[in-house]
Amino acid sequence: MTGRCALLAALMLCASVGAETGACAHRGDNKSAPENTLPAFKAAVEKGAHMIEFDVQMTKDGELVVMHDGDVKRTTNGKGKVSDLTFDEIRKLDAGSWFGPQFAGTQVPTPGEVLEVIPHAILCNVHLKSGAGLGTKTASLVKEMGRLDHCVLACDDQQAAEAKAVAPGVKLCNMSRQVGTRQAYVDATIARGSDFIQVTRTQGLEGMADDVKQLHAHGIKCNWFGTGDPALIQKLEDMGVDYILTDDLDVCLRVLAERR
């Protein structure tokens, strides 16, 4: 599929979804390509994901890279913490062979490279990992690339403040959710004035529909992390969840499409 065709397909899919539940490709289409790599993001775009999630960290020399784990061992042929390695050292690693020989030589991408392959019609769920200054650098990049319209920074309170300081119009997802009940998390998100919340499966489903209504009344969209179970996908759609983070993009897209 050409870049133009992929963009048009994504636009049509987003238009058909409207306020309905959308599928978020967690770390890209990670069942068909190595997670958090350009092949995984390109696959998610071509399949019609409504949102794509990826993780951002900072290297020893202050550069931004896309990787989930704090250590490079699981998803590359290297070892060591991201924060202890330079950008050049990380770029020399093979981030694809562990998944399949056809991905040998795949590099750890930068967030800028990721944004270049995701069209504006698809929301980007940009998850900031730990680290002071990460909010500043990521928000600055998104602003410089003209991508504030379709990027949401999923971050803690400190990173949110950093991001707003350099890009007042940046969209934020409240990730300060580690303690307290789901209702406390909802209340805190409303008080903070975030654009999104990301409820986790560990917080259960009881009362979820009411929480979603409360969030929507304040203009806040609700992400759910995460599932590829068809029955649960249907329940979450019935409850009004806006985006479902999934490690099985094919299943999530199919279930949502069949219900429409």
Side-chain angles (χ1 to χ4, degrees), residues 1 32 61 77 82 88 93 99 107 136 169 175 187 217 221 242 253:
M1 182 181 292
S32 64
D61 49 347
N77 63 341
V82 174
D88 288 342
L93 300 177
F99 190 91
Q107 289 183 305
T136 300
M175 296 294 279
D187 291 342
K221 293 186 180 297
D242 295 281
L253 286 171

Side-chain angles (χ1 to χ4, degrees), residues 15-245:
S16 68
V17 171
E20 296 175 329
T21 301
C24 174
H26 184 230
R27 307 178 198 170
D29 181 19
N30 67 53
K31 285 198 74 174
S32 64
E35 67 176 63
N36 275 327
T37 64
L38 294 184
F41 300 127
K42 290 177 180 177
V45 169
E46 295 204 353
K47 288 183 177 181
H50 309 106
M51 174 188 279
I52 297 175
E53 186 267 357
F54 59 92
D55 305 282
V56 177
Q57 298 191 56
M58 197 180 302
T59 65
K60 182 180 180 180
D61 49 347
E63 298 296 326
L64 300 179
V65 292
V66 174
M67 182 173 288
H68 176 269
D69 295 5
D71 194 291
V72 302
K73 183 177 181 179
R74 181 176 66 86
T75 57
T76 76
N77 63 341
K79 60 182 180 179
K81 293 181 179 179
V82 174
S83 58
D84 290 338
L85 298 171
T86 66
F87 177 75
D88 288 342
E89 289 171 332
I90 289 178
R91 289 286 270 188
K92 291 176 183 177
L93 300 177
D94 181 340
S97 291
W98 67 272
F99 190 91
Q102 69 272 36
F103 296 105
T106 299
Q107 289 183 305
V108 175
T110 67
E113 290 171 336
V114 174
L115 292 178
E116 289 289 355
V117 302
I118 301 177
H120 285 246
I122 300 175
L123 283 174
C124 295
N125 183 339
V126 187
H127 187 180
L128 306 189
K129 308 306 281 187
S130 61
L134 190 55
T136 300
K137 288 188 74 74
T138 307
S140 296
L141 172 67
V142 171
K143 181 179 178 181
E144 289 167 6
M145 292 186 68
R147 299 305 184 99
L148 290 173
D149 59 331
H150 75 125
C151 288
V152 181
L153 303 191
C155 57
D156 60 30
D157 291 336
Q158 177 186 342
Q159 293 167 337
E162 293 175 356
K164 282 288 188 181
V166 295
V170 69
K171 295 180 177 65
L172 299 173
C173 177
N174 180 20
M175 296 294 279
S176 296
R177 63 171 189 264
Q178 285 74 22
V179 296
T181 64
R182 188 180 67 229
Q183 186 58 58
Y185 178 33
V186 168
D187 291 342
T189 302
I190 292 171
R192 194 173 92 164
S194 297
D195 304 281
F196 281 77
I197 189 173
Q198 186 161 299
V199 178
T200 70
R201 54 181 175 257
T202 60
Q203 293 171 315
L205 288 175
E206 185 177 355
M208 184 68 187
D210 290 335
D211 285 347
V212 172
K213 289 179 182 177
Q214 182 183 5
L215 290 162
H216 286 174
H218 288 84
I220 300 170
K221 293 186 180 297
C222 181
N223 295 337
W224 172 275
F225 177 75
T227 187
D229 175 64
L232 182 52
I233 291 169
Q234 292 177 23
K235 288 181 181 179
L236 294 170
E237 184 179 33
D238 290 340
M239 292 175 179
V241 168
D242 295 281
Y243 295 96
I244 299 171
L245 277 74

